[in-house]
């Protein structure tokens, strides 16, 4: 999910994935590649838009997760400040959009330090560890199996009719519910 319609999952794609027996995990991602992007106001806007996309476009089941991307190697100060404020905004937007009723679980996609900090503070209930193993805390987070979902290194697979597909495979934690869904 994003502000860019060309990047967004369509209902047809969601149905095709579900019919093929695949569970879907979604990430809201726009410009979260630097600390200056993150603020409470941006979290409010992104959370509200993600909610509308999930509910109104895809029909994503309540209780499943929307992960929000922190797609760079943030410092602890970034996490304690702007990024923490962003997730406060996301939670507020989801609460208001759902009129105080149960909604979507909030997850974070990012480095080990990012995932650990936000999960421990309660800013995110779930974590999707990026494959950027050089990011702060990522190797330890993976080794300790603290993730709900972990992105693996990119791969190429052979598809139908000899088409080669470039994919970013992911693995779910075997003992946890990563908030995936089908429609």
């Amino acid at each position: 999910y994003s502000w860019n319609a060309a990047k967004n999952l369509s209902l047809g794609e969601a149905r095709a994935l579900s019919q093929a027996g695949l569970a879907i995990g979604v990430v809201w991602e726009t410009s979260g590649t630097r600390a200056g992007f993150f603020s409470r106001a941006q979290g409010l806007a992104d959370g509200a838009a993600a909610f509308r996309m999930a509910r109104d476009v895809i029909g994503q089941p309540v209780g499943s997760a929307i992960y929000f991307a922190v797609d760079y190697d943030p410092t602890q100060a970034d996490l304690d400040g702007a990024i923490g404020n962003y997730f406060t905004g996301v939670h507020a937007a989801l609460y208001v959009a759902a009129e105080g009723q149960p909604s979507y679980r909030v997850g974070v996609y990012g480095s080990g330090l990012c995932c650990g900090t936000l999960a421990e503070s309660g800013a995110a209930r779930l974590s999707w560890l990026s494959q950027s193993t050089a990011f702060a805390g990522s190797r330890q987070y993976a080794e300790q199996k603290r993730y709900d979902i972990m992105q693996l290194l990119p791969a190429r697979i052979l598809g139908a009719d000899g088409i080669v597909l470039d994919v970013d495979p992911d693995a779910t934690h075997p003992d946890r519910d990563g908030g995936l869904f089908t429609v």
Side-chain angles (χ1 to χ4, degrees):
Y1 301 161
S2 77
W3 293 106
N4 179 350
K7 288 178 60 172
N8 286 337
L9 176 69
S10 72
L11 178 56
E13 289 168 328
R15 286 180 175 157
L17 291 167
S18 297
Q19 289 170 356
L22 298 172
I24 302 167
V26 293
V27 178
W28 175 270
E29 182 174 19
T30 55
S31 299
T33 58
R34 57 186 172 73
F37 166 79
F38 294 95
S39 67
R40 185 177 190 282
Q42 189 65 56
L44 286 166
D46 289 352
F51 180 91
R52 287 190 303 274
M53 179 85 181
R55 184 190 68 187
D56 300 340
V57 176
I58 302 300
Q60 180 176 333
V62 167
S64 61
I66 302 172
Y67 289 81
F68 292 81
V70 179
D71 208 7
Y72 77 106
D73 195 8
T75 65
Q76 189 66 54
D78 295 345
L79 293 164
D80 294 340
I83 295 169
N85 293 336
Y86 174 86
F87 277 84
T88 299
V90 166
H91 280 281
L94 293 178
Y95 181 82
V96 169
E99 300 176 346
Q101 297 302 308
S103 179
Y104 301 104
R105 292 184 284 164
V106 174
V108 60
Y109 167 89
S111 71
L113 176 64
C114 178
C115 289
T117 297
L118 296 178
E120 289 166 14
S121 73
R125 289 185 54 197
L126 302 164
S127 63
W128 191 332
L129 181 63
S130 80
Q131 61 86 17
S132 301
T133 57
F135 282 2
S138 291
R139 287 183 192 265
Q140 298 88 341
Y141 203 79
E143 289 169 0
Q144 296 168 0
K145 297 186 179 184
R146 294 174 60 198
Y147 59 85
D148 294 287
I149 302 173
M150 180 171 62
Q151 183 181 24
L152 306 174
L153 293 174
R156 301 188 92 177
I157 60 172
L158 185 61
D161 300 324
I163 295 172
V164 176
L165 303 170
D166 292 317
V167 298
D168 286 339
D170 296 285
T172 56
H173 191 286
D175 301 324
R176 297 186 185 166
D177 169 12
L180 305 179
F181 65 92
T182 58
V183 293

